[in-house]
């Protein structure tokens, strides 16, 4: 005996936006019949642009923002670029970074600042430079392969590495074959041997594997791949960021394996320097996930990645 009241009148969006939303929603065969309407003006057309891949899409978006700025005087801070998953921001960030249009990410970190991306990069940095103790500590603290190695065990290893005149990472690699190993016991001993074996195996493959193959070996051998909870939406978003890093690395697969890793790490370092620059108060375009804003806050909105399996995301169906 319930009374059903349909809230179909939209007060905020233009007629074309409401009609477009209504047509999309009508494809859902399990919906309650509820026509959407508005008394507002028609407004601008909704434009759909089909592009070849995510890189083409990112450059199109940046080009359109530049055109709107130059032809119609629209400031970048009146523009939002929205996407379903945080991993999609990488190619957009890259396109903005090589353009003259500043950007900001709302409700999240820039791609190379995300914890899971920094975790994998720490392993790659360590493989290239065994003297990088900051990266080694990050691996110990955040990777399953480092679980069980506490501060006391690290201090013991640091003393042992100084005694043998090698870096701390090289000391871990040397443990399994050492005649007089460091004085470690229990969990710390087992974990240190495990870390040494993993780092040693990965280092031997650096000059042989392409960067994407090296990435696969890193997340598999360190246990990082299996550390994400497949039932958690947040965890899957983080894992998507890890896989987006693989796509970034794959661009260097055509290079000789010995040259690819230093070239890639140099590029990442340069990006970090650019991201650290002060924008001097310049108007910035906003990169944001669909769940973090309505879009009505911005006169111009781009929605990237409107494709099967991504919007809605495959796990939703």
């Amino acid at each position: 005996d319930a009374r059903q009241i349909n809230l179909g009148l939209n007060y905020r969006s233009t007629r074309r936006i409401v009609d477009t939303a209504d047509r999309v929603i009508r494809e859902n065969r399990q919906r309650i019949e509820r026509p959407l309407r508005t008394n507002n003006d028609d407004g601008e057309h909704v434009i759909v642009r089909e592009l070849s891949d995510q890189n083409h899409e990112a450059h199109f978006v940046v080009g359109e923002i530049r055109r709107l700025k130059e032809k119609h005087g629209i400031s970048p801070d009146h523009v939002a670029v929205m996407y379903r998953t945080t991993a999609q921001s990488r190619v957009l960030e890259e396109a903005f970074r090589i353009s003259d249009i500043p950007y900001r990410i709302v409700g999240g970190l820039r791609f190379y600042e995300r914890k899971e991306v920094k975790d994998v990069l720490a392993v790659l940095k360590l493989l290239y430079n065994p003297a990088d103790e900051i990266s080694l500590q990050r691996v110990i603290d955040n990777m399953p392969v480092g679980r069980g190695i506490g501060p006391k065990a690290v201090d013991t290893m640091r003393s042992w590495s100084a005694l043998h005149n090698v870096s701390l990472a090289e000391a871990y690699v040397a443990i399994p074959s050492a005649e007089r190993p460091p004085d470690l016991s229990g969990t710390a001993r087992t974990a240190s041997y495990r870390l040494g074996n993993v780092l040693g195996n990965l280092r031997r493959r650096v000059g042989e594997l392409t960067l994407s193959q090296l990435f696969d070996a890193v997340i598999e051998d360190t246990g990082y791949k299996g550390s994400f909870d497949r039932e958690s939406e947040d965890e899957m978003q983080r894992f998507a960021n890890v896989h987006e890093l693989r796509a970034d690395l794959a661009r260097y697969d055509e290079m000789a394996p010995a040259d690819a890793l230093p070239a890639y790490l140099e590029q990442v370092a340069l990006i970090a320097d650019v991201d650290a620059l002060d924008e001097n108060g310049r108007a910035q375009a906003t990169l944001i996930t669909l769940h973090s804003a309505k879009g009505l806050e911005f006169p111009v909105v781009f929605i990237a990645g409107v494709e099967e399996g991504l919007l809605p995301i495959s796990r939703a169906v």
Side-chain angles (χ1 to χ4, degrees), residues 150-167:
K152 185 178 177 182
V154 172
D155 287 342
T156 299
M157 285 301 302
R158 187 170 282 112
S159 300
W160 194 77
S161 68
L163 183 66
H164 292 81
N165 199 28
V166 295
S167 71

Side-chain angles (χ1 to χ4, degrees), residues 279-316:
E279 291 294 348
N280 296 317
R282 287 196 293 165
Q284 299 169 294
T286 296
L287 273 59
I288 190 168
T289 61
L290 282 165
H291 298 306
S292 300
K294 292 183 176 69
L296 289 160
E297 304 91 331
F298 303 93
V300 179
V301 175
F302 295 86
I303 302 181
V306 181
E307 58 185 77
E308 188 74 24
L310 192 54
L311 188 64
I313 202 153
S314 57
R315 292 190 298 279

Side-chain angles (χ1 to χ4, degrees), residues 207-218:
E208 304 168 0
L209 303 178
T210 64
L211 281 195
S212 60
Q213 290 171 334
L214 183 61
F215 166 91
D216 293 338
V218 165

Side-chain angles (χ1 to χ4, degrees), residues 90 110-129 132 134-136 138-139 142-143 199 211 214-215 218-219 222 224 241-242 244-246 248-249 252 260-261 263-272:
R90 183 189 65 81
R110 297 189 179 212
F111 182 76
Y112 294 102
E113 295 172 357
R114 293 168 190 164
K115 176 191 176 297
E116 54 277 10
V117 173
K118 291 169 80 170
D119 288 346
V120 179
L121 284 176
V123 182
L124 295 176
K125 289 176 181 177
L126 191 59
L127 295 178
Y128 176 64
N129 177 17
D132 186 349
I134 293 175
S135 291
L136 175 60
R138 187 174 190 97
V139 171
N142 296 295
M143 293 285 200
L199 290 179
L211 281 195
L214 183 61
F215 166 91
V218 165
I219 66 168
T222 60
Y224 204 54
N241 287 329
V242 173
E244 187 58 34
L245 179 62
R246 187 188 194 281
D248 194 29
L249 288 159
Y252 289 74
L261 184 56
Y264 178 75
L265 293 176
E266 182 180 345
Q267 174 235 338
V268 171
L270 288 171
I271 287 171

Side-chain angles (χ1 to χ4, degrees), residues 67-75:
R67 184 185 68 80
L68 291 168
K69 178 183 175 185
E70 293 172 354
K71 295 281 181 66
H72 303 284
I74 292 176
S75 174

Side-chain angles (χ1 to χ4, degrees), residues 145-189:
V145 72
R147 202 168 290 143
I149 302 176
K152 185 178 177 182
V154 172
D155 287 342
T156 299
M157 285 301 302
R158 187 170 282 112
S159 300
W160 194 77
S161 68
L163 183 66
H164 292 81
N165 199 28
V166 295
S167 71
L168 186 55
E170 288 171 322
Y172 276 103
V173 172
I175 293 177
S177 58
E179 288 185 12
R180 293 184 178 179
D183 185 19
L184 296 167
S185 59
T187 303
R189 183 176 185 275

